[in-house]
Amino acid sequence: MPAHNLEHILILGIGNVLWADEGFGVRCVEALADSHALPSHVRLLDGGTQGLYLLPFLEKADALIVFDAVDYGLAPGTLKIVEGDEVPAFLGAKKMSLHQTGFQEVIATAQLMGRCPPRMVLIGCQPAELEDYGGGLRDVVAARIPDAIAVALGRLAEWGAEARPGATEGELADPAIRRDAYETGRPDESLACRIGDARFFPAAG
């Protein structure tokens, strides 16, 4: 599809910000919204873990860019870009959580209905830590956010959608759980159990 026919581009961040590096995709979309002014035909969306609720957004898109934490079996913080028909296969190859199953089903349903975006790009980052309820991104993963955004901006430019420094009004989460507020407001580990209630999940041995 020629770039000038891409009337609706969707940039989607998926994942669960409550589980450490699972929030990578959502944090990428937030950072992109804060740093760049995008053309009006580019839609920024925090998809979280919404699953099939995201289907209507895909149906309207001519092109899709997805940010996500993906277990590729690589070194933590490694970025891997997947495109086209390979996107659903990578999302389902080694599931880390239910959100990946859910989004794989979204794509499969859109394909079945003949309404899947003809262009799809998955910008995935290998997580370092997931078993940290209430935790933020690990440094090695957070450091890749600018690189992931650069990949997305490059693809947008190829599609004729030029971004400028500034900001974009995306459909994002409540400010209370945006990255800065969420990570700086986290209680100390001595005050908030990170892996479960110790009364029910005693230490091994």
Side-chain angles (χ1 to χ4, degrees), residues 85-94 104:
D85 292 339
E86 292 187 331
V87 171
F90 270 89
L91 283 172
K94 190 173 182 182
Q104 188 185 28

Side-chain angles (χ1 to χ4, degrees), residues 156-175:
L156 288 176
E158 292 175 14
W159 295 340
E162 296 287 346
R164 296 176 290 103
T168 296
E169 287 291 329
E171 294 159 89
L172 307 176
D174 187 276

Side-chain angles (χ1 to χ4, degrees), residues 105-199:
E105 290 174 348
V106 173
I107 293 179
T109 302
Q111 289 175 325
L112 184 65
M113 297 172 66
R115 298 179 182 176
C116 194
R119 295 175 182 260
M120 293 190 292
V121 179
L122 167 63
I123 304 172
C125 184
Q126 177 72 38
E129 179 61 64
L130 299 175
E131 300 301 322
D132 185 11
Y133 184 71
L137 299 182
R138 295 305 187 258
D139 290 344
V140 69
V141 172
R144 302 314 304 271
I145 290 177
D147 300 321
I149 289 175
V151 172
L153 293 176
R155 195 51 51 91
L156 288 176
E158 292 175 14
W159 295 340
E162 296 287 346
R164 296 176 290 103
T168 296
E169 287 291 329
E171 294 159 89
L172 307 176
D174 187 276
I177 58 171
R178 296 286 295 274
R179 186 180 172 204
D180 286 346
Y182 180 77
E183 294 188 2
T184 59
R186 186 187 195 198
D188 184 83
E189 190 169 1
S190 63
L191 300 176
C193 183
R194 305 284 169 84
I195 59 173
D197 192 319
R199 293 171 297 177

Side-chain angles (χ1 to χ4, degrees), residues 12-184:
L12 182 63
I14 58 176
N16 189 337
V17 298
L18 299 179
W19 287 107
D21 291 332
E22 258 262 350
F24 174 78
V26 172
R27 300 314 188 195
C28 283
V29 168
E30 292 176 355
L32 181 55
D34 289 340
S35 61
H36 288 82
L38 301 176
S40 59
H41 66 291
V42 178
R43 186 174 198 167
L44 277 180
L45 177 64
D46 170 0
T49 59
Q50 296 182 62
L52 288 172
Y53 287 105
L54 298 173
L55 184 59
F57 298 100
L58 264 68
E59 291 177 345
K60 297 175 183 177
D62 300 310
L64 170 69
I65 296 175
V66 182
F67 294 107
D68 194 12
V70 180
D71 188 354
Y72 294 114
L74 302 173
T78 301
L79 285 184
K80 184 176 177 67
I81 316 305
V82 179
E83 302 190 43
D85 292 339
E86 292 187 331
V87 171
F90 270 89
L91 283 172
K94 190 173 182 182
K95 302 178 185 68
M96 298 184 303
S97 66
L98 291 177
H99 94 260
Q100 285 189 339
T101 305
F103 192 66
Q104 188 185 28
E105 290 174 348
V106 173
I107 293 179
T109 302
Q111 289 175 325
L112 184 65
M113 297 172 66
R115 298 179 182 176
C116 194
R119 295 175 182 260
M120 293 190 292
V121 179
L122 167 63
I123 304 172
C125 184
Q126 177 72 38
E129 179 61 64
L130 299 175
E131 300 301 322
D132 185 11
Y133 184 71
L137 299 182
R138 295 305 187 258
D139 290 344
V140 69
V141 172
R144 302 314 304 271
I145 290 177
D147 300 321
I149 289 175
V151 172
L153 293 176
R155 195 51 51 91
L156 288 176
E158 292 175 14
W159 295 340
E162 296 287 346
R164 296 176 290 103
T168 296
E169 287 291 329
E171 294 159 89
L172 307 176
D174 187 276
I177 58 171
R178 296 286 295 274
R179 186 180 172 204
D180 286 346
Y182 180 77
E183 294 188 2
T184 59

